[in-house]
Amino acid sequence: QVQLVESGGGLVQAGGSLKLSCAASGSIFTINAMGWYRQAPGKQRELVADITSGGTTSYGDSVKGRFSISRDNAKNTVYLQMSSLKPEDTAVYYCNAWMVLTTIPKEYRYWGQGTQVTVSS
């Protein structure tokens, strides 16, 4: 059993900042890449950012230069610092992690339940 629990979403004005956190817990053997996707109403889920266990990052084009992803391997936690937020950043943000569990010796991608981010103009 494993959980990914997101926190930090909410309502913010355009130009503001928010920091999302996602903590993984449970029967974890190892965590490889972690990251964030988002889905706005009527749109497909899209990559926001991801980070490997070694710290290599990648970002979606729409957030480059404004968002920063990081992780704390000791805490099994990934963060997303969002700055210069725009109304078009409004979406449900989903954490994900590629993990091998102690009970399932194969890597799978696991997802959090999502956290709402709303940016007002």
Side-chain angles (χ1 to χ4, degrees):
Q1 191 77 358
V2 65
Q3 279 190 312
L4 290 171
V5 179
E6 298 117 331
S7 60
L11 174 64
V12 64
Q13 288 190 329
S17 299
L18 277 177
K19 186 174 184 178
L20 305 183
S21 300
C22 173
S25 63
S27 304
I28 299 168
F29 178 72
T30 188
I31 303 177
N32 297 317
M34 303 182 80
W36 296 88
Y37 278 70
R38 68 186 182 186
Q39 188 166 20
K43 295 188 176 181
Q44 289 190 330
R45 191 173 292 193
E46 64 172 354
L47 171 70
V48 178
D50 58 28
I51 183 168
T52 67
S53 57
T56 300
T57 59
S58 61
Y59 295 91
D61 288 341
S62 61
V63 306
K64 284 179 182 176
R66 300 188 298 121
F67 291 10
S68 178
I69 189 170
S70 60
R71 64 190 285 174
D72 184 334
N73 291 332
K75 296 182 179 180
N76 290 342
T77 299
V78 63
Y79 305 96
L80 185 68
Q81 177 67 53
M82 304 184 291
S83 303
S84 302
L85 282 160
K86 305 175 181 179
E88 50 264 44
D89 293 317
T90 295
V92 177
Y93 284 70
Y94 296 92
C95 168
N96 75 97
W98 288 91
M99 298 188 285
V100 179
L101 306 185
T102 58
T103 53
I104 304 174
K106 183 178 178 180
E107 184 185 55
Y108 287 101
R109 174 183 275 181
Y110 296 85
W111 293 88
Q113 80 286 353
T115 185
Q116 177 70 46
V117 172
T118 303
V119 184
S120 63
S121 57

